Amino acid sequence: WAKGLAASGLTVRTQRYVVGTLQRILRFAIEAGALHALPVDRLRLPTPKPAKVKPLTVKEVEDLAEAIEHPEHAPAGHGAGQPEYRRHRPDLALWVRLGAYCGLRAGEVLALRRESIDLERRVLVIDRSVSDVGGHLVMGPTKTGQARAVLIPESLVADLRDHLANRVKSTPDALVFTSEVGGLVSHANWYRHYFRPAVKRAGLPDGIRFHDLRHTYASLLIAEGAHPRAIMERLGHSSIQVTLGTYGHLFPTLDEALTSRLASRIATARQERSGSDVTPRPGPASKQHRS
């Protein structure tokens, strides 16, 4: 059956998802007493190839944020009579920066509530996510089902404080980002009407996704020398294998930089030691003088 899935042309990820669904059903059958063992327990499945990571530079992130802050699309009106908040959208730019500088998934950004943000401690609490289920927006747990805390870069504190003061209701459970009627935002609509046009206006490569901002966050952490475990916790990965499988190719560059810095430190220490050793060893002349 598994070979038939592969032969049908399904992607490796879809094959694993289908088999995983069957496994969950059969585990339920075991719990119900209908089966004594899991028939697919030893089934060998192909390993999916790591997704191609497309991290952006900080300059590209800022170019994208600038482009999306002044959108061309006007969903509720056109022309000069359009309200100012529809022509100037710092909230959209903040959404982009939260993805690139905090590593949030799109659904996690949409699920943020006022009580999720602690500006005094500079911490975001990520414990929910918004997803599209059969055309309906649903608030649920994060992808891994686990909550995590993410530190907010100092450069985003003022932006978040201004956004909370001017665009978010005062109640603790108020959504940080809402649609124009105050409800959950459809990521699909936002992506189509705002994100993709902004990517084009910013001059970025076609095909850049919001998820690539999350990859950008990981690449920035790696460039700063972050340990894979710390990256895993900040991104909310289910395991260190997921982190290394996705971003492992970026670590060799970091390893070269670490080795270069280590070599520089060793050279400095040896040079200092050589320079401090100024006492000459006794030569033949010294021995003759003492005699």
Side-chain angles (χ1 to χ4, degrees):
W1 173 68
K3 290 180 179 179
L5 291 177
S8 68
L10 295 176
T11 65
V12 172
R13 291 183 182 277
T14 302
Q15 293 173 48
R16 295 178 70 90
Y17 177 80
V18 172
V19 173
T21 302
L22 176 62
Q23 287 177 331
R24 289 191 292 273
I25 294 171
L26 295 179
R27 287 194 185 99
F28 179 80
I30 290 173
E31 293 173 1
L35 289 176
H36 297 289
L38 193 63
V40 295
D41 192 36
R42 298 193 179 193
L43 186 62
R44 298 293 181 183
L45 298 174
T47 302
K49 295 180 180 179
K52 187 176 182 180
V53 174
K54 299 178 182 178
L56 279 65
T57 65
V58 172
K59 180 183 182 303
E60 288 174 331
V61 172
E62 291 303 310
D63 288 344
L64 177 60
E66 175 67 21
I68 205 169
E69 187 170 343
H70 304 280
E72 293 179 345
H73 177 71
H78 305 276
Q82 189 181 147
E84 173 63 24
Y85 76 89
R86 292 190 186 125
R87 290 184 280 116
H88 178 226
R89 298 294 302 272
D91 56 319
L92 302 183
L94 180 57
W95 188 345
V96 166
R97 292 187 174 107
L98 285 171
Y101 303 146
C102 294
L104 272 60
R105 300 178 177 93
E108 294 170 346
V109 175
L110 296 177
L112 285 174
R113 304 172 307 285
R114 176 178 281 274
E115 62 187 359
S116 307
I117 304 175
D118 186 339
L119 293 180
E120 297 303 318
R121 295 171 56 226
R122 292 197 293 116
V123 170
L124 293 174
V125 177
I126 311 302
D127 57 359
R128 297 186 186 183
S129 182
V130 173
S131 57
D132 189 320
V133 180
H136 299 281
L137 298 177
V138 178
M139 180 83 75
T142 61
K143 184 177 180 180
T144 60
Q146 301 293 322
R148 70 185 190 278
V150 177
L151 292 176
I152 305 170
E154 184 67 37
S155 58
L156 290 188
V157 171
D159 294 336
L160 280 167
R161 181 174 285 113
D162 179 71
H163 180 76
L164 291 174
N166 298 303
R167 293 176 176 266
V168 182
K169 294 180 180 179
S170 59
T171 55
D173 62 344
L175 289 171
V176 174
F177 298 98
T178 65
S179 66
E180 295 194 5
V181 296
L184 294 173
V185 178
S186 167
H187 173 67
N189 290 339
W190 177 84
Y191 188 81
R192 181 171 63 255
H193 293 309
Y194 294 106
F195 188 81
R196 290 184 63 183
V199 166
K200 184 176 181 179
R201 292 199 306 276
L204 299 179
D206 188 32
I208 291 293
R209 308 160 302 162
F210 183 85
H211 201 72
D212 291 317
L213 299 177
R214 182 170 157 86
H215 295 326
T216 298
Y217 178 65
S219 70
L220 292 174
L221 293 180
I222 292 172
E224 293 299 323
H227 190 278
R229 179 79 187 186
I231 297 173
M232 180 200 80
E233 292 174 353
R234 289 200 176 198
L235 290 174
H237 283 161
S238 57
S239 68
I240 194 71
Q241 286 77 18
V242 174
T243 305
L244 292 175
T246 306
Y247 304 110
H249 66 288
L250 297 178
F251 282 96
T253 302
L254 173 62
D255 186 57
E256 293 174 6
L258 291 174
T259 303
S260 177
R261 288 199 294 269
L262 176 61
S264 177
R265 177 169 292 191
I266 293 171
T268 300
R270 294 181 67 176
Q271 184 177 6
E272 290 175 351
R273 180 178 178 82
S274 176
S276 63
D277 188 8
V278 296
T279 305
R281 295 184 179 181
S286 299
K287 292 180 181 179
Q288 184 179 6
H289 176 73
R290 283 199 299 270
S291 63

